[in-house]
Amino acid sequence: MHAPSARTVVLPIGSDTDLPRVRQQVRQTAADLGFGLVAQTKLVTAASELARNTLVHGGGGHAEITPLDDEHARGLRLSFVDSGPGIRDLEAAMTDGYTTGGGLGLGLSGSKRLVREFVLDSRPGEGTTVTITDWVTTGPPARSTGAA
């Protein structure tokens, strides 16, 4: 897991009343970074799904909202962290229609389709962290390997 930066906003996810706060903070941060309305909506939709998963399947946790802004790119990284039961079958969990909670089974796979970067880290008995990142610009430049 990564340590949140000084600019990271950490919001608790412990009840249904926390979910609108997470959505509002994601939308405001995305707007401040220059994301257009469609991109904001995609980020808020993904964040809403992942925050609900954190609450329902992970027993609660927190969201980390980190603006990314340097001379090359502007973006937004969102991490949803819980210390719940974890996901036993990651491949199945990422399959459209897979659900353990009676929903449509589109939370993880749908969220992945809405953003450019998606990382799922889960261990049974240790919890789950889902980190998504999207960019206003095309993303950070490719790093040179130093080989010519």
Side-chain angles (χ1 to χ4, degrees), residues 5-22:
S5 79
R7 295 178 34 191
T8 298
V9 173
V10 178
L11 296 175
I13 300 173
S15 72
D16 283 336
T17 60
D18 294 326
L19 302 179
R21 264 180 254 144
V22 170

Side-chain angles (χ1 to χ4, degrees), residues 8-26 43-65 77-85 128-132:
T8 298
V9 173
V10 178
L11 296 175
I13 300 173
S15 72
D16 283 336
T17 60
D18 294 326
L19 302 179
R21 264 180 254 144
V22 170
R23 289 191 296 264
Q24 179 183 10
Q25 185 67 49
V26 169
L43 280 164
V44 170
T45 300
S48 184
E49 290 292 333
L50 297 172
R52 179 156 294 287
N53 280 358
T54 299
L55 179 62
V56 172
H57 300 292
H62 68 273
E64 299 172 3
I65 302 167
R77 177 178 300 127
L78 308 173
S79 293
F80 298 85
V81 182
D82 70 61
S83 54
T128 300
T129 299
V130 180
T131 301
I132 60 174

Side-chain angles (χ1 to χ4, degrees), residues 91-102:
E91 188 175 331
M94 290 303 300
T95 303
D96 285 351
Y98 177 83
T99 181
T100 58

Side-chain angles (χ1 to χ4, degrees), residues 64-136:
E64 299 172 3
I65 302 167
T66 306
L68 306 171
D69 192 359
D70 64 26
E71 66 274 10
H72 302 291
R74 281 190 327 276
L76 184 58
R77 177 178 300 127
L78 308 173
S79 293
F80 298 85
V81 182
D82 70 61
S83 54
I87 301 170
R88 295 205 180 280
D89 187 342
L90 294 175
E91 188 175 331
M94 290 303 300
T95 303
D96 285 351
Y98 177 83
T99 181
T100 58
L104 295 175
L106 296 173
L108 290 174
S109 60
S111 295
K112 181 177 182 178
R113 282 193 296 272
L114 292 171
V115 296
R116 293 198 190 143
E117 299 172 27
F118 182 99
V119 177
L120 172 60
D121 180 20
S122 185
R123 291 177 185 86
E126 296 182 26
T128 300
T129 299
V130 180
T131 301
I132 60 174
T133 308
D134 211 343
W135 302 94
V136 174

